[in-house]
Amino acid sequence: KSGLDPGGAWHAWGMACLKAGNLNSAREKFNRCLKPPMDLNQLNHGSRLVQDVIQYLESTVKPVLIADEDYFATLRELEATVRTRSLSLEMMCEGKIQHNSYYQECLFYLHSYGTNLAIISFYMRHDCMREALLHLLNKESPSEVFIEGIFIPSYESGKLHMLENLLETIDPGLESWGVYLIAACKYLQRKNYYHILYELQQFMKDHVRAAMTCIRFFTHGAKSYTELGGKQTWLLKIKDHLKVYLQEVSRSSGRKKMAFTFRKKMSATDVSRHINTVDLQMEVTKFLHQCESSGASQMTDSSLPTLFGNNNMKMDVACKVILEGKNIEEGFGIAFRVLQDFQLEATEVYSKVAKQLVKQQKYSEIRQLLKCVNESGVAAKNDGDNIILNCLNEFKNIPAEDLDNLIQDMDSDENKIQAYMMCNKLRSAYLVSVRQEKARAVQLVQHVRQLAEGSGDDVVKAICAQWL
């Protein structure tokens, strides 16, 4: 008469029937106020009313084993069992759920009014992981339901191996679980749970991604190459994963291409290139570890460069190797291989090294660097000159004698003149200029005279004017 929603009354009546043990009558009352969810795959456990029913049924489970002790079972319970048994026969769990009418009642309400997540969570709560997995597959639920309902509870309760065994038992090739496993990996990566991620990737036989996780274990948090020296086992593991992947690819190349759809793929040439990178990183690690141990290490960078970074980081590795040896020659060979393997801009690296040597006032080692570059066999004609020219901004503090020695080491007279001009050694620039062929010499001397005029060097200005 008052037009109020009768749902609350039906629910209260249903709960009263439940508490009185009248299961059939309770179903009838709840049928009038409970509704199935609009979306079975929503990430919650259904309406509060359904949850209340399940909570009550689970909390008042009677230890009645119908199979063994039917004389304890009331007629009502037997009838309820018969009616709910048909609901989920295709995946019945051994043990108490199968034999207890209150658990059967839970399943009736969950299948009638609950979400897939609620059903799966119920199975998981009662140690029926297999049933939870089968329900997930049968309903083709999205990966979020797998993560929330099965994966998180499994690793939190230390049952990850049990989950892995069941996944393999249900589908030995794991193909039907591919979407769920990849989603689990992404979830673990977001959470920074890299140890669980690595374990899962090994179970999935996803060797390329497992190798990538090993790279993270090797590089993450290391502040020195001494630390990286102690983590070299990860480099060996990266190689192992990549080699196994290569073997699997070569084995399956003759067969049909169906297998490994969810595992990360990579061409054999790329894998071989990565194995070479690991070998080179091992060499770099050993070398820099020794340098740090012997106290030769000079550079104190906040970030620690490795060959697993971008090209700029690889160039930093090459610089570090050249600078941290006992002398330039000691690390040059390894650095040269880094530059060659990754086709890096060599002149840029050598110039960075030269600038560092200026800061460290090791002027004789700059000449040693130029010697190594020229003897490397792939240096262009002007590479040595360009290294010196690139560094001239740093040369303001270089003692005059060392500066003269460096400029005299240059091959090209044009570059020497440019260097003298940049360092404001106008008299020296004039002396080299007048040795050139006449037309070019006139241009150069005129340029020197202009610079002398600008800087107020009357002596050089007069010499230039006289020559011209």
Side-chain angles (χ1 to χ4, degrees):
K1 285 180 180 178
S2 56
L4 294 173
D5 176 23
W10 286 118
H11 187 259
W13 197 350
M15 288 302 285
C17 292
L18 271 191
K19 287 169 186 172
N22 190 346
L23 303 182
N24 280 349
S25 189
R27 286 188 186 192
E28 189 192 322
K29 307 298 178 282
F30 285 129
N31 188 36
R32 296 170 182 270
C33 61
L34 298 179
K35 290 181 176 61
M38 298 288 285
D39 175 15
L40 288 173
N41 287 320
Q42 60 198 41
L43 285 183
N44 58 44
H45 289 250
S47 72
R48 185 67 252 175
L49 301 182
V50 178
Q51 289 178 54
D52 287 347
V53 173
I54 302 301
Q55 213 171 339
Y56 173 76
L57 284 168
E58 283 184 301
S59 65
T60 53
V61 171
K62 297 179 180 179
V64 173
L65 296 175
I66 288 173
D68 305 328
E69 308 171 40
D70 7 46
Y71 49 88
F72 277 140
T74 64
L75 282 170
R76 275 200 301 272
E77 286 170 329
L78 273 171
E79 190 185 343
T81 307
V82 169
R83 289 181 62 178
T84 42
R85 182 68 61 87
S86 58
L87 266 170
S88 45
L89 250 180
E90 77 278 5
M91 43 178 148
M92 270 324 299
C93 184
E94 289 305 314
K96 56 188 177 181
I97 290 195
Q98 187 169 4
H99 297 309
N100 192 291
S101 60
Y102 273 71
Y103 280 118
Q104 289 298 316
E105 207 63 17
C106 286
L107 285 171
F108 167 79
Y109 286 107
L110 286 168
H111 281 282
S112 305
Y113 310 110
T115 60
N116 285 327
L117 181 60
I119 297 167
I120 285 167
S121 298
F122 174 80
Y123 282 132
M124 290 295 286
R125 275 200 303 281
H126 299 291
D127 295 327
C128 294
M129 194 186 282
R130 180 186 170 81
E131 285 63 33
L133 287 167
L134 289 172
H135 183 85
L136 180 87
L137 268 191
N138 291 344
K139 301 296 178 188
E140 296 179 352
S141 292
S143 47
E144 292 82 5
V145 174
F146 169 73
I147 288 168
E148 286 289 323
I150 298 175
F151 186 69
I152 295 174
S154 294
Y155 78 70
E156 282 183 348
S157 59
K159 291 180 181 170
L160 192 57
H161 283 298
M162 185 179 164
L163 171 62
E164 290 172 352
N165 291 337
L166 278 169
L167 293 175
E168 214 163 20
T169 308
I170 295 168
D171 176 4
L174 300 179
E175 289 300 320
S176 47
W177 304 115
V179 178
Y180 299 118
L181 289 169
I182 294 294
C185 289
K186 286 178 180 169
Y187 166 81
L188 292 170
Q189 203 167 355
R190 278 200 308 276
K191 288 282 190 180
N192 288 332
Y193 295 162
Y194 284 94
H195 288 279
I196 304 174
L197 173 65
Y198 182 51
E199 190 185 323
L200 190 62
Q201 286 166 337
Q202 288 179 93
F203 161 72
M204 291 160 65
K205 297 184 176 60
D206 195 348
H207 294 292
V208 175
R209 288 194 180 96
M212 289 157 75
T213 305
C214 290
I215 290 174
R216 202 237 177 222
F217 283 132
F218 175 70
T219 55
H220 186 68
K223 293 279 185 285
S224 70
Y225 261 88
T226 306
E227 278 181 53
L228 285 184
K231 296 167 91 176
Q232 287 189 79
T233 46
W234 288 113
L235 293 177
L236 295 171
K237 285 184 179 180
I238 297 168
K239 273 183 76 170
D240 289 343
H241 283 300
L242 294 176
K243 282 177 179 173
V244 171
Y245 177 77
L246 274 182
Q247 286 165 4
E248 287 186 355
V249 167
S250 62
R251 273 206 306 270
S252 64
S253 58
R255 288 181 265 155
K256 56 185 181 185
K257 299 281 185 191
M258 280 297 288
F260 311 138
T261 50
F262 64 90
R263 297 172 180 91
K264 189 167 179 65
K265 293 178 188 61
M266 195 178 273
S267 70
T269 47
D270 280 351
V271 174
S272 302
R273 208 178 66 242
H274 286 304
I275 291 174
N276 288 340
T277 301
V278 174
D279 285 335
L280 199 49
Q281 180 64 53
M282 283 174 125
E283 221 173 310
V284 167
T285 306
K286 280 174 191 160
F287 178 76
L288 290 175
H289 184 194
Q290 280 169 352
C291 294
E292 287 181 5
S293 304
S294 65
S297 178
Q298 298 288 330
M299 294 174 76
T300 49
D301 277 340
S302 51
S303 65
L304 195 64
T306 69
L307 298 178
F308 299 119
N310 57 20
N311 277 358
N312 285 339
M313 192 184 266
K314 291 181 179 105
M315 287 161 88
D316 289 345
V317 171
C319 290
K320 197 172 174 67
V321 169
I322 295 175
L323 286 164
E324 297 214 355
K326 287 197 282 288
N327 53 44
I328 292 297
E329 242 170 308
E330 193 187 21
F332 189 83
I334 298 175
F336 184 70
R337 276 179 45 218
V338 170
L339 297 175
Q340 290 291 294
D341 281 12
F342 299 107
Q343 299 178 328
L344 301 173
E345 195 56 59
T347 315
E348 195 179 326
V349 171
Y350 299 144
S351 298
K352 278 175 87 171
V353 170
K355 286 180 182 179
Q356 279 292 335
L357 292 170
V358 172
K359 281 182 189 166
Q360 295 169 16
Q361 300 184 341
K362 294 180 176 175
Y363 308 117
S364 60
E365 294 204 9
I366 297 176
R367 299 178 78 178
Q368 198 184 9
L369 172 68
L370 296 173
K371 180 170 167 281
C372 288
V373 171
N374 290 329
E375 288 173 358
S376 67
V378 293
K381 185 171 180 290
N382 280 334
D383 272 2
D385 291 6
N386 288 335
I387 291 165
I388 295 174
L389 286 172
N390 283 339
C391 296
L392 283 179
N393 298 331
E394 311 284 330
F395 285 176
K396 297 183 183 72
N397 308 324
I398 296 182
E401 188 185 342
D402 291 304
L403 189 52
D404 277 339
N405 287 338
L406 281 171
I407 294 176
Q408 278 162 25
D409 279 348
M410 288 176 139
D411 291 327
S412 144
D413 280 352
E414 289 276 344
N415 288 335
K416 283 182 186 173
I417 295 163
Q418 194 184 338
Y420 282 131
M421 286 177 179
M422 285 174 82
C423 299
N424 216 27
K425 288 181 169 290
L426 298 180
R427 187 185 178 85
S428 301
Y430 163 77
L431 289 172
V432 182
S433 297
V434 295
R435 293 207 302 266
Q436 310 308 304
E437 59 166 292
K438 186 144 286 176
R440 182 66 183 139
V442 170
Q443 287 177 336
L444 290 167
V445 173
Q446 281 175 336
H447 188 35
V448 173
R449 185 177 68 169
Q450 282 173 355
L451 290 173
E453 206 172 328
S455 63
D457 190 336
D458 294 335
V459 177
V460 175
K461 182 183 164 189
I463 295 171
C464 291
Q466 190 180 351
W467 185 87
L468 286 165

